[in-house]
Amino acid sequence: MKEEKSTTAVSGYIAIVVLLIVAIAIFVGAVYNNTWMVALGIPISLAILKGLTVINPNDSNVLILFGDYIGTVKKEGFFWINPFAVRKRVSLKARNLNGHKMKVNDKLGNPIEIAAVTVWMVKDTAKALFAVDDYIQYVQVQSEAAVRHLANLFAYDNFEDEEATITLKDGAQQVSQMLERELNERLERAGIDVIEARITHLAYAPEIASAMLQRQQATAVVAARKQIVEGAVGMVEMALERLSAKDIVQLDEERKAAMVSNLLVVLCGEKSVSPVVNAGTLYN
């Protein structure tokens, strides 16, 4: 596999000076009817003009001479390069790949929608041009494959997999770091460096979104009721202890059971209760 090697180029300003000298020689040859000076000067001037090139900041020119890679010019400026060399421009700027939404299955087989954004740049121009056919398309395909693979490794959440330490929903930072590492491994062949990779969209697929929403709502209701019951039991226990400690009233087991039942109904009920006055006793 070709490895990038840097090369230097002649300053374009020197080439311009040479071009002016050649142009003067052609003019003199034409004036004094010197055919060989004109015949030799014209192709030289055309070669100088063809070799002039400008390399902008964060750009590079990969040079290929008769099928052989001779090097990459990364220095910005105005240069003259061998006119017979093929020059292929490769941008060194950071680029964004905003992946489209994909429908995949998570670890538990639930269909989900997922998308990611990848920030990448060319690190090795030789690998980018010679190791793969189209490095931009290669980045797109491998990014999609990495996101699909990552989605298959983890569950969307831990409702069904309670032992899961990392999920797609709650472990965004860990998942993004794993995605970045996997992309760097996949794109190393093409000389690409992944600066950042992050999940930008995550949701259940439309066909199960409604059912999953109901499940989440039911889970939230159960958790809330559990907390209410735990608080109510604590309040009842405290009430019985305070009544017993202050010796306000002596309650047998049946009266304690009735009191506990009434307090739990009042504390755990979703609606306001209506008091009922008992004119008799618990036994009549």
Side-chain angles (χ1 to χ4, degrees):
M1 185 181 297
K2 294 288 186 181
E3 296 287 341
E4 181 184 275
K5 55 183 179 181
S6 298
T7 187
T8 57
V10 179
S11 171
Y13 300 104
I14 296 176
I16 291 294
V17 173
V18 175
L19 179 62
L20 290 175
I21 296 173
V22 174
I24 293 172
I26 294 173
F27 177 76
V28 172
V31 170
Y32 290 97
N33 200 20
N34 192 332
T35 307
W36 69 268
M37 287 183 64
V38 176
L40 186 62
I42 290 176
I44 292 176
S45 61
L46 292 176
I48 294 174
L49 287 172
K50 186 179 179 182
L52 294 176
T53 186
V54 175
I55 300 179
N56 297 316
N58 278 335
D59 264 356
S60 67
N61 271 12
V62 179
L63 307 182
I64 306 170
L65 182 62
F66 303 127
D68 184 26
Y69 169 62
I70 60 177
T72 301
V73 181
K74 289 185 174 180
K75 186 178 179 180
E76 60 189 70
F78 180 46
F79 301 100
W80 181 84
I81 296 173
N82 189 333
F84 295 102
V86 177
R87 290 166 282 180
K88 293 191 175 182
R89 176 182 172 272
V90 177
S91 175
L92 304 178
K93 299 181 180 71
R95 313 186 196 187
N96 282 319
L97 174 62
N98 191 10
H100 61 275
K101 297 179 184 178
M102 297 180 293
K103 184 182 292 186
V104 297
N105 292 332
D106 68 357
K107 180 182 178 182
L108 303 177
N110 296 319
I112 62 173
E113 290 182 346
I114 189 171
V117 63
T118 304
V119 183
W120 62 278
M121 62 183 295
V122 176
K123 178 177 63 176
D124 190 310
T125 57
K127 288 182 178 180
L129 287 182
F130 307 129
V132 296
D133 184 49
D134 185 340
Y135 67 91
I136 295 178
Q137 184 181 13
Y138 187 82
V139 171
Q140 295 173 347
V141 174
Q142 291 299 324
S143 296
E144 180 178 336
V147 172
R148 289 182 179 275
H149 178 253
L150 192 69
N152 293 332
L153 293 179
F154 302 102
Y156 179 88
D157 51 36
N158 56 5
F159 282 138
E160 297 181 22
D161 189 3
E162 296 182 355
E163 298 180 356
T165 56
I166 300 177
T167 63
L168 296 173
K169 181 181 177 182
D170 299 325
Q173 183 174 358
Q174 297 94 321
V175 172
S176 296
Q177 291 174 351
M178 294 181 65
L179 177 61
E180 183 178 332
R181 286 196 299 268
E182 182 169 351
L183 282 173
N184 273 313
E185 293 175 1
R186 287 173 176 263
L187 300 177
E188 175 64 25
R189 172 180 290 273
I192 304 299
D193 180 31
V194 177
I195 302 172
E196 182 183 8
R198 190 169 298 278
I199 302 297
T200 56
H201 174 77
L202 183 65
Y204 281 113
E207 58 265 27
I208 67 167
S210 178
M212 291 302 177
L213 178 60
Q214 291 179 358
R215 188 186 69 173
Q216 292 175 357
Q217 290 174 342
T219 303
V221 170
V222 170
R225 301 303 297 176
K226 179 180 179 181
Q227 187 173 2
I228 291 173
V229 170
E230 289 179 354
V233 170
M235 293 176 68
V236 170
E237 182 180 4
M238 180 180 65
L240 292 175
E241 289 178 355
R242 294 289 295 275
L243 288 173
S244 176
K246 292 182 176 294
D247 198 20
I248 296 175
V249 63
Q250 296 295 328
L251 301 176
D252 57 17
E253 294 302 320
E254 186 175 354
R255 287 188 173 88
K256 286 183 180 180
M259 180 179 177
V260 169
S261 176
N262 292 334
L263 286 175
L264 289 177
V265 169
V266 172
L267 295 173
C268 297
E270 295 184 359
K271 298 180 180 180
S272 300
V273 296
S274 300
V276 178
V277 178
N278 185 8
T281 65
L282 291 175
Y283 305 103
N284 295 323

